[in-house]
């Protein structure tokens, strides 16, 4: 299941939530906040997703299963293509004021994962299903478990997710 179209068209069956999000963003940017809030409510009712319409979601970010049960802090930043599976939490910890996560390009976040705090998930990072990540994840690494254990991710696993054209060996070696 390689993401063969980094432009965002690889998963059309999961695009309804993105279409609604982009409509809400369009309304918000134009100052139609009441209608934008209505769109936000529709997202919560239909998809049980709390993804703020104020966020600018880049092309290539896909909320698999239409973001079912996903919660995203409004200050979370996506830096490029990402696959976010269902029941994911991207935000800060209870009582924390240290910000929200920054999600690098070509990141996969598995079902039920929590990425908490003002941390960075580096490019080509993989956050495994059910992982609880509370510290930075370096590029080309994976986080699994609760609390998350961080290890390098195998390049063949990244190719299976993103396809051959996307993996840059120069980025992996730092130059």
């Amino acid at each position: 299941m390689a993401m063969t179209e980094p432009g965002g068209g690889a998963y059309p069956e999961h695009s309804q939530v993105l279409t609604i999000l982009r409509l809400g963003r369009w309304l918000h940017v134009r100052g139609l906040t009441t209608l934008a809030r209505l769109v936000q409510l529709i997202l919560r009712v239909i998809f049980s997703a709390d993804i703020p319409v104020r966020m600018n979601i880049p092309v290539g970010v896909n909320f698999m299963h239409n973001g079912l049960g996903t919660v995203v802090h409004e200050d979370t930043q996506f830096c490029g293509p990402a696959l976010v599976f269902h029941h994911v939490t991207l935000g800060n910890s209870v009582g924390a004021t240290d910000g929200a996560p920054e999600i690098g390009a070509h990141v996969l976040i598995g079902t039920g994962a929590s990425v908490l705090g003002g941390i960075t998930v580096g490019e080509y990072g993989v956050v495994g299903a059910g992982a609880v990540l509370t510290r930075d994840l370096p590029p080309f690494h994976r986080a699994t478990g609760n609390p998350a254990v961080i290890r390098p991710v195998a390049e063949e696993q990244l190719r299976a997710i993103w396809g051959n054209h996307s993996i840059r060996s120069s980025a992996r070696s730092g130059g």
Side-chain angles (χ1 to χ4, degrees), residues 32-51:
L32 302 168
T33 55
T34 302
L35 290 175
R37 287 184 187 147
L38 180 61
V39 169
Q40 181 86 37
L41 181 62
I42 290 168
L43 284 172
R44 283 188 134 179
V45 170
I46 294 175
F47 300 111
S48 297
D50 189 1
I51 306 169

Side-chain angles (χ1 to χ4, degrees), residues 18 43 45 68 80 112-113 141 148 154:
L18 290 170
L43 284 172
V45 170
L68 181 66
H141 280 71

Side-chain angles (χ1 to χ4, degrees), residues 149-172:
V149 175
I150 297 173
R151 296 186 180 102
V153 65
E155 192 167 324
E156 56 270 9
Q157 290 175 323
L158 294 174
R159 289 189 191 287
I161 298 166
W162 298 105
N164 289 334
H165 66 283
S166 296
I167 309 299
R168 295 175 304 196
S169 296
S170 60
R172 187 179 198 55

Side-chain angles (χ1 to χ4, degrees), residues 10-168:
Y11 301 103
E13 66 275 17
H14 301 285
S15 65
Q16 293 92 351
V17 74
L18 290 170
T19 301
I20 295 170
L21 270 168
R22 291 198 170 102
L23 170 63
R25 170 82 177 156
W26 185 86
L27 293 167
H28 174 75
V29 167
R30 281 152 185 79
L32 302 168
T33 55
T34 302
L35 290 175
R37 287 184 187 147
L38 180 61
V39 169
Q40 181 86 37
L41 181 62
I42 290 168
L43 284 172
R44 283 188 134 179
V45 170
I46 294 175
F47 300 111
S48 297
D50 189 1
I51 306 169
V53 295
R54 292 180 299 280
M55 291 182 66
N56 186 18
I57 307 287
V59 171
V61 173
N62 285 284
F63 291 95
M64 303 304 287
H65 306 285
N66 284 302
L68 181 66
T70 298
V71 178
V72 180
H73 189 281
E74 67 182 2
D75 293 333
T76 298
Q77 297 292 315
F78 286 95
C79 299
L83 294 176
V84 181
F85 281 80
H86 53 290
H87 296 287
V88 166
T89 299
L90 304 173
N92 52 13
S93 299
V94 174
T97 57
D98 61 345
E102 179 179 308
I103 310 300
H106 302 318
V107 169
L108 182 142
I109 302 174
T111 302
S114 296
V115 180
L116 304 174
I119 64 173
T120 300
V121 177
E123 70 173 343
Y124 294 101
V126 176
V127 181
V132 177
L133 183 63
T134 58
R135 62 184 193 271
D136 288 347
L137 181 66
F140 295 96
H141 280 71
R142 63 186 163 119
T144 56
N146 178 7
V149 175
I150 297 173
R151 296 186 180 102
V153 65
E155 192 167 324
E156 56 270 9
Q157 290 175 323
L158 294 174
R159 289 189 191 287
I161 298 166
W162 298 105
N164 289 334
H165 66 283
S166 296
I167 309 299
R168 295 175 304 196

